[in-house]
Every structure is written in structure tokens, then in C-alpha cells.
Amino acid sequence: MTITDVARHAGVSTAAVSKVMRNAYGVSAAMQEKVRAAMAELDYRPHAAARGMRGRTYTIGILLDNIRNTFFADILDGVRDELRDSEYTVLIGAAGFDAEAQDKTIRSMVDRQMDGLVLIAPGIQRSEVLATAQSTPTVVIGHHDASDLHDSVVDADGSGASLVVDHLVSLGHRNIALVSSPGTRASKWARTPEIVLSNGYAEAMGRHQLAEHTRICRTSYSDEGGYKAGMSLLTAGDRPTAIMTGADVAALGVWRAAHELGLRVPQDVSLVGYNNTAIADLATVQLTSVDQAGHDMGATAARLLIERVEGRREHAVQTTMTPRLVVRGSTSVPPAV
């Protein structure tokens, strides 16, 4: 089937069909319904490669590092919901944490003429992202480094860390540790989420005159990374009474370590996650966590990207989400109180 067949079946011009497929401005609802009905009856699907030769493939590429991080599911849900009624298809590249693998995945997306890219906390060189954004509309989620070349969607991570420290201090905790991602200095990103989160944590500890208790354990945001951090912190001579993590998935790893060591959450150690993923609210978990509106981040990223893809906006913008602390059963007063 071709666009000509669709036009003939619908009784309209091929130009009208093309406008409907492009969601062009000024197409009436009646015309939309007539053309889409014809496409459905003929089982017509536009050929992506042919559309790419005409300038657009209606595909959006999303890069992420770890499909087991449930926060990414919230972001993807937001992207999906924002694009639900459009012609765009989302393709996901789960490249892992390795910068070289991420770079290869991004290049593959560009080579396949995807119309735009959403990069979730990319670990590749910032210069590579900037080079890509010069030719392909790009939104970066997570990194606070603003640029005139790409749009950004971030969480106020420093404020999120402060919310956690303030909450734990109000319960009586003083020995509060942070589990954060190591990141990579070689990538040349100056304000990654883990950097902003760590700075916010240190500033909040200092504000409460607890600078001497500041302790940051670097690990990957994964269950295994959290487990290793938990074993290190919870077997230390000066064991913290509370641990906050930069991701819920890492908090669950810390929880697993505590369980193996015979420690109870929150009676022996309070635990706080970040992202407020669905798993945090499970009846058997009830993890206190910082909500950074993952669904809204994804929806905003998709909206910003399509604005650039369709030429409705030329200047870059950075949108910041306001975090909120969701208190559940994993935090309580420290054992000594």
C-alpha cells in the first residue's frame, strides 16, 4: 500500500494524506478521521526509511544505562503518554554504564536517522553530546550543565538531599551517610545528578553542624552496588544510624546487606531512597524516598524534543522539577534515642 492508495480510498488528495501523517497545522478533525480510517482499513504503515529520505522518520531514541532501574520506567511512561496521540515511535537503547557502549548506541540512533534523542544521565563525554545535539535535536535528563545546543530536564537534587537530611535530623540522627553514584570525571560534565546531590547533602550536614559525620560511599545505582555499599557502611566501626541513597534500587541493595547482617530497618538503621519508584510503596517495603516526578520528567522531555524536531522553538531551555519527600516506614528515631 502507498500513500496514493490511501488517498484514493479516502477520497482525498495525497497532499491531504501527507498533512494528516505530519500532524500539520490546520487539518480538520473530519479530515483526520477520514484519512486515519482509510489507513486502518488498508493496514497502511509508512515506510520509515522512505520517510527518513523525505526528512523525518517519526522515531525517537532514548538512551539509558540500566533497565533494572525502575525510575527509568517512570520516565519512559511519561514519554509514552506525551507521544501517545502522535505519529512518533519510541525506541530504547539500554547501553549499560560503559561510556564506549553508550557512544556506540547514540551513533547508531543518529545513523538510523532518528528525529530526536532523549539521553538519560549520559555517561559519555559532554563534548560528544554537544556534537550530536548540533545535528540531531536532543534532550538531556539529569545533568544540570545547561547548553545552547540541547534542552535539559533536571531535578533540584540539592534540595532533594536537604529534604532527606532535614527529615533524618528531625528524628534525632547525626551519623548520616550518603550512597551516591561514582560518575566519571573523564566525561567532563560539571554538574551531574550525583555531584549536585552530594553537594546538597554536604551543605545540609554542615548547616546542622554535622560536617564531621559527612560520609559518601560511591557505587553504581543498582541492587548489587547498593549491597556492596551497605556491607561497607554497616560493618564499619562507626556505623551510621541512617543511610540515604541516590536511587531506590541502590537502597534496596543496602536493605539486603542490612538483612544479611542481622540489622533491622528502621529499628537499627534508617534508610531513604531517591526517585520514589513504585517499588518504594510496596506493602513489604515502605521505603521513605524523594519523589522527583519521573513521569513528568519524561513527558516534559518528550514535549521539549518534539517542539525542536518540528521547528516550533529554536532556543534551548532547562526545566527543573521540584522534589518532595515521601515519608514511609523505613525511617525512625536512631537506636540510641
Side-chain angles (χ1 to χ4, degrees):
M1 290 296 169
T2 67
I3 191 173
T4 302
D5 297 319
V6 174
R8 186 181 300 115
H9 191 78
V12 300
S13 67
T14 55
V17 175
S18 178
K19 286 183 178 180
V20 170
M21 290 171 57
R22 291 185 287 109
N23 288 323
Y25 177 77
V27 179
S28 68
M31 179 65 74
Q32 287 268 5
E33 183 177 354
K34 181 184 294 186
V35 171
R36 295 198 183 283
M39 292 171 65
E41 290 168 11
L42 296 176
D43 193 27
Y44 171 77
R45 290 182 297 172
H47 191 276
R51 297 176 88 178
M53 293 176 65
R54 295 194 298 271
R56 195 175 299 175
T57 61
Y58 292 88
T59 55
I60 300 299
I62 300 184
L63 175 83
L64 50 85
D65 56 34
N66 178 17
I67 59 174
R68 289 181 171 81
N69 188 335
T70 51
F71 177 59
F72 294 158
D74 294 339
I75 294 177
L76 293 174
D77 281 347
V79 173
R80 178 203 60 196
D81 290 346
E82 181 68 21
L83 300 180
R84 186 189 302 276
D85 297 325
S86 75
E87 291 293 315
Y88 292 93
T89 297
V90 174
L91 299 178
I92 300 170
F97 296 103
D98 181 67
E100 185 175 340
Q102 289 190 21
D103 184 57
K104 179 180 178 181
T105 299
I106 292 173
R107 290 179 183 275
S108 295
M109 290 176 172
V110 173
D111 290 345
R112 285 163 174 75
Q113 295 182 293
M114 294 188 181
D115 294 327
L117 304 176
V118 176
L119 310 180
I120 304 177
I124 67 170
Q125 289 261 354
R126 185 172 185 237
S127 59
E128 294 295 329
V129 171
L130 296 179
T132 298
Q134 285 185 311
S135 60
T136 304
T138 300
V139 178
V140 176
I141 293 181
H143 294 342
H144 294 248
D145 302 63
S147 170
D148 292 334
L149 297 176
H150 63 75
D151 296 318
S152 305
V153 180
V154 303
D155 179 61
D157 296 301
S159 298
S162 291
L163 290 173
V164 175
V165 173
D166 290 349
H167 168 64
L168 293 171
V169 170
S170 73
L171 294 173
H173 291 277
R174 295 177 56 80
N175 195 343
I176 304 167
L178 169 66
V179 173
S180 180
S181 169
T184 170
R185 292 185 179 181
S187 67
K188 304 300 183 183
W189 293 92
R191 303 190 68 226
T192 59
E194 60 269 12
I195 290 174
V196 177
L197 185 75
S198 297
N199 290 343
Y201 157 77
E203 290 170 6
M205 292 290 282
R207 176 163 45 82
H208 289 287
Q209 288 76 52
L210 299 174
E212 71 274 16
H213 294 294
T214 299
R215 187 175 0 176
I216 302 176
C217 185
R218 305 288 184 182
T219 189
S220 63
Y221 285 156
S222 64
D223 176 79
E224 186 60 26
Y227 172 79
K228 290 178 180 178
M231 293 299 289
S232 174
L233 290 169
L234 296 174
T235 57
D238 184 21
R239 190 178 74 203
T241 62
I243 299 174
M244 69 170 290
T245 68
D248 287 352
V249 64
L252 296 181
V254 174
W255 202 320
R256 179 160 63 93
H259 177 74
E260 286 192 14
L261 294 170
L263 299 174
R264 300 164 299 165
V265 176
Q267 293 90 339
D268 299 313
V269 58
S270 286
L271 185 60
V272 183
Y274 209 96
N275 303 147
N276 194 37
T277 54
I279 199 169
D281 197 32
L282 291 177
T284 54
V285 178
Q286 289 298 292
L287 176 69
T288 295
S289 184
V290 175
D291 190 327
Q292 56 176 326
H295 183 280
D296 291 346
M297 293 182 85
T300 300
R303 176 178 55 78
L304 293 176
L305 187 63
I306 299 307
E307 288 176 358
R308 295 293 288 272
V309 168
E310 298 185 347
R312 288 184 264 140
R313 175 174 51 83
E314 294 184 357
H315 65 280
V317 300
Q318 183 175 87
T319 301
T320 303
M321 302 293 160
T322 301
R324 66 185 180 91
L325 182 67
V326 181
V327 179
R328 298 191 179 93
S330 67
T331 52
S332 68
V333 297
V337 176

